[in-house]
Amino acid sequence: SQQGEEDPQALSIQEGENATMNCSYKTSINNLQWYRQNSGRGLVHLILIRSNEREKHSGRLRVTLDTSKKSSSLLITASRAADTASYFCATDAIGSSNYKLTFGKGTLLTVNP
Amino acid sequence: DGGITQSPKYLFRKEGQNVTLSCEQNLNHDAMYWYRQDPGQGLRLIYYSQIVNDFQKGDIAEGYSVSREKKESFPLTVTSAQKNPTAFYLCASSIEGGPGNTIYFGEGSWLTVV
């Protein structure tokens, strides 16, 4: 079953606007990661946030984590057409017998020039 | 350059055939993974390997097989037992298999049944 679920499924914005994507998960986690995938390509790691962290920044990316609500958000500021891609959250659950990441279905972000 | 190489990029399989997808990494990573992605869906784990000569089933291992004879190689065979193999297959690796490790992905292989 999917652990992480992204919301919205699709998001269309204009260049220069901010884009916010959300991820909800069901069980307690060690870490949460965000990945990006351009159409027909492999995934690229964006940022990792640990369960004891609340916010993290990387360039134009800002990730928050609320473990009480079991949710995370990814904010992309001043978006560019090149940010057009699918964005996935991935979690690894506490208590898993073996390490494996569980990916959500992704948010498809379209940034219009 | 360091990275993960998957081949072929596009592969067509006839009914009843087995096909093998290649995955090679030169990152010196211990852990390797195979994921399946269907259109508009997330990734589902097929198999993973945390060390040479060892591998574990993921969530959807039926109809697939793997081997890990060398650290840098983790080929995936899609057998005729896999009834719906048409999908995008992603190979990945991480330094080790513990939590909190970044996973690095190859560019993927498209498999189509004809």
Side-chain angles (χ1 to χ4, degrees):
Chain A
S1 62
Q2 300 286 351
Q3 159 78 317
E5 293 289 342
E6 292 89 348
D7 170 63
Q9 290 187 346
L11 180 61
S12 181
I13 60 173
Q14 295 300 121
E15 214 167 17
E17 294 180 340
N18 295 343
T20 300
M21 290 158 271
N22 303 296
C23 171
S24 59
Y25 55 91
K26 298 174 184 174
T27 61
S28 296
I29 61 172
N30 292 306
N31 309 280
L32 186 144
Q33 303 185 45
W34 284 92
Y35 287 80
R36 165 198 168 121
Q37 183 182 34
N38 284 20
S39 181
R41 306 290 296 276
L43 278 72
V44 175
H45 179 258
L46 295 176
I47 198 164
L48 178 151
I49 187 164
R50 303 189 188 282
S51 60
N52 61 355
E53 297 176 312
R54 291 298 167 257
E55 187 171 315
K56 226 171 171 180
H57 296 255
S58 177
R60 292 184 297 113
L61 306 180
R62 172 177 169 255
V63 170
T64 61
L65 179 64
D66 187 336
T67 53
S68 66
K69 295 181 180 178
K70 292 186 170 59
S71 68
S72 172
S73 67
L74 170 66
L75 169 67
I76 303 174
T77 60
S79 64
R80 307 165 182 168
D83 293 328
T84 295
S86 291
Y87 292 83
F88 295 88
C89 67
T91 56
D92 60 84
I94 292 175
S96 295
S97 58
N98 291 290
Y99 167 69
K100 57 179 182 178
L101 280 184
T102 304
F103 288 81
K105 295 183 179 181
T107 291
L108 176 59
L109 173 65
T110 302
V111 182
N112 301 298
Chain B
D1 289 346
I4 301 172
T5 301
Q6 290 187 236
S7 64
K9 179 68 177 179
Y10 300 95
L11 185 60
F12 298 90
R13 192 194 91 169
K14 294 181 180 179
E15 296 281 352
Q17 273 188 341
N18 293 352
V19 293
T20 297
L21 307 180
S22 170
C23 178
E24 302 279 330
Q25 54 100 357
N26 60 3
L27 299 168
N28 201 32
H29 286 174
D30 282 324
M32 296 188 75
Y33 313 82
W34 274 105
Y35 289 90
R36 170 180 171 143
Q37 186 177 30
D38 293 282
Q41 300 296 311
L43 279 64
R44 291 184 290 170
L45 183 65
I46 305 172
Y47 269 97
Y48 65 101
S49 167
Q50 298 201 52
I51 198 166
V52 176
N53 292 321
D54 181 64
F55 49 83
Q56 305 294 329
K57 292 182 179 179
D59 299 319
I60 55 165
E62 185 175 351
Y64 300 97
S65 66
V66 294
S67 63
R68 186 84 188 276
E69 298 175 0
K70 298 186 297 182
K71 186 176 185 178
E72 57 272 21
S73 179
F74 191 42
L76 173 74
T77 295
V78 184
T79 74
S80 57
Q82 172 48 242
K83 298 306 178 187
N84 184 25
T86 295
F88 188 51
Y89 291 86
L90 287 158
C91 179
S93 71
S94 61
I95 291 177
E96 57 183 26
N101 285 290
T102 297
I103 292 187
Y104 297 84
F105 285 83
E107 287 297 295
S109 294
W110 291 93
L111 174 62
T112 303
V113 174
V114 296

